[in-house]
Amino acid sequence: MENQEVKKPSFLARIGNFFKTIGRKISERAAKKAGSSNKTQMLEWKKDGWKAAICLAPALLILAVFTFYPIVNTFLVSFFPSYNYLDDNFGYFAFDSYAQVLQDSTFWRAMGNTALMVIVSVPLSIIIALVITVLLNSIKKLQGFFQIIFFLPYVTNGIAFGLVFATIFSPMDYGLVNTILNAFGIDSVSWTGTARNIPYWAGIFVITVNAIWNGLAFKILVFLSGIQGIDKQYYQAAQVDATPKLRVFTRITVPLLSPMILYITITSMMGAFKSYSSVVSLFGESMGNGQNETFITAVGYIYKYFNKVTDGLPWLLSRASAAAVILFLFILVITLFQMWANKKKVHY
Amino acid sequence: MEVKLVNLTKCFSKKEGDVVAVDHLNFSIPSGKLVGLLGPSGCGKSTTLYMIAGLHRPTEGEIYFGSNEVSKFPPEKRGIGLVFQNYALYPHLTVQQNIMFPLENMKVEKKEALRRAQEMADLVGIGDLMARTPGQLSGGQQQRVAIARALVKMPEVLLLDEPLSNLDARLRLQTREEIKRIQKETGITTIFVTHDQEEAMSISDEIVVMNFGVVQQIGKPQEVYNEPANMFVAKFLGTPPINIIPAKVENGKIMMYKTEFNEKYDLNFADGTNLNIGVRPEYIKVDPKGKYKVYVEMVEYIGRDKTLIFKFDGQEKTCKAIIPSEVEVEPGTEINIDFKRCFIFDEEGKRLV
Ligand SMILES: Nc1ncnc2c1ncn2[C@@H]1O[C@H](COP(=O)(O)OP(=O)(O)O)[C@@H](O)[C@H]1O
Ligand SMILES: [Mg+2]
């Protein structure tokens, strides 16, 4: 159709193009190199090699110190139960740390809570974001206004966000949710805080709502840019063929958004696996119900042993490392499975 | 089913002001016929089609399908099949799923739907490509899938928006024939939008020539070609295009530059009237006793015929003639020609003779 507006490339498409351009530049350069004679080529390679090394050095240095070294060290330390980081004395080699972690019921509670977040809050938040995106895209009046409303949390300060959340789910009678419950004659619920009487379902509910709310803006942003990149003619064709709205959503919108959905699924699963700070902000350092650690997460467990001091010394670093390695293996397996499953489903 | 458009009008409001894309269109398409909607790009063909489809709401006027006034109906209630200019096949579905899509909406039973999809795919000649996705098909194959998808629900009216514009020349010819054949076989009232006059002429039972949202002429292709209603239609149809020679009335004679126009016409013109003489290239014959002396610039051989490029005395632009290749003409010489037929248009392009 000649009269169609020129499609704006979506946000992701632009990122994609950026990498494509870089890739092309590099291969063009390589092709030019291949054309020049062998000797000069070697010289140039040498020269370029030095240049490249110098340019990459700062980044590599930072990565080495803060990423590669800790990763390798974590693996090592997890096999040395009496590792002492004060004098860097590894001690003896053993699987004790793994045994301790795997026999610890707190660890399994942490894994359970984490799994719950991955399994419940991730799909739920994606579905909610998709529905909001479709509705947002279908309204004609005030679309910009509503878009801004949904994007506001994304640019809002985390502390302000937390404060609002704390007010809504305050365990006190004046909390927003409790006020509403009281109005219906239902007793207040201890939703958050450091008290010992938080029901498990209430805590999980608050964590889930928090996770969904937290990630919603970014998800909508990605989905909206994706949806606006879909050719309007698919929808016109569907309309001419009398396709019900729900079928348009499930058979056209979702499949055509599948690359975005895959991206969002993977990133938010990673986020869910790593959740820790939100739980601390909701229930304090003890992560729920006093010392019971009801809502502890996998990362919370790692942190606990990372910081735990026994006999005046942080002896349990090895245990934290073992837990980290186990979590890593879990994430690895699930990601591989996801990649494999999505290869069959995602339409690019 | 007969399709009738009455005073159909569409205005788009833009920042720069309103655009009248379609201006009081009146014509009807007889049941079972294929009508070509022809006009240059931007003349409102797609807009007309989308109004018939229900994707655009008319600003004014009515659309009748048979005796029903449908212009208030949403697209899904109209029972039409629409083939988009770039097909709009669902890229994530296979050919089979694409063709079955409309049937699933109609809650046709799975087995029956499969059978009808296969039948339609066979009709358009893609029966063995059912498992592929649109990305794995050539342009022509995609186009046929789009037609199959539009036809599978047995629409009463089939609308095609420049369906051949994405194909290469050979495929275009071939698919053109096929559309004609499928239309004949199914007997569905069809509107075929195109900006290619040759395509419209060869495929249509009747053509509607549009310009600036206004109908210029309606008729059988040959009629429209032989008897154009105005200079726009005369110029739009035919390759190579018609020669338009500006002329002026002087002392009661029509002068084409320095040559007198010397044909029979029963009209009287006041001195100083500006006219346009239209002569199709094939209406020109070389004749030593011909009335007009012209200067031959070039001769091009195009297979069976040859093209003569010539000028009248005092003319700047050139004219073209198609003559049999046996006729000997030397470039750079002066020859005499005659018009077998010609049209006289007034200054605005209205046809006089
Ligand atoms: N959705 C629209 N909004 C505004 N103007 C439009 C729209 N669609 C078409 N037009 C204008 O209407 C005129 C006719 O367009 P169209 O029907 O697409 O022409 P074509 O004959 O090439 O199919 C053009 O001037 C075009 O710019
Ligand atoms: Mg068009």
Side-chain angles (χ1 to χ4, degrees), chain A residues 134-145:
Chain A
V134 170
L135 295 179
L136 207 54
N137 193 46
S138 66
I139 54 170
K140 292 189 181 69
K141 278 182 201 154
L142 296 176
Q143 192 183 9
F145 173 73

Side-chain angles (χ1 to χ4, degrees), chain A residues 1-3, chain B residues 40-47 49-50 85 161-162 193-195:
Chain A
M1 252 182 15
E2 317 86 298
N3 55 5
Chain B
S41 224
C43 75
K45 305 180 299 290
S46 296
T47 309
L49 209 66
Y50 288 173
Q85 187 166 349
D161 190 4
E162 311 217 14
V193 163
T194 177
H195 64 260

Side-chain angles (χ1 to χ4, degrees), chain A residues 81 95-105 107 301 316 319:
Chain A
F95 292 98
D96 293 11
S97 300
Y98 285 95
Q100 282 159 4
V101 167
L102 293 174
Q103 282 164 11
D104 186 353
S105 68
F107 174 74
Y301 183 88
L316 294 164
R319 203 146 147 190

Side-chain angles (χ1 to χ4, degrees), chain A residues 48-69:
Chain A
D48 274 18
W50 275 111
K51 263 192 246 164
I54 290 168
C55 291
L56 284 173
L60 283 176
L61 200 70
I62 289 171
L63 274 175
V65 171
F66 292 103
T67 307
F68 300 140
Y69 169 72

Side-chain angles (χ1 to χ4, degrees), chain A residues 38-59:
Chain A
N38 247 345
K39 230 180 189 172
T40 50
Q41 188 182 336
M42 288 297 284
L43 276 173
E44 274 191 36
W45 267 108
K46 262 190 188 159
K47 243 177 23 202
D48 274 18
W50 275 111
K51 263 192 246 164
I54 290 168
C55 291
L56 284 173

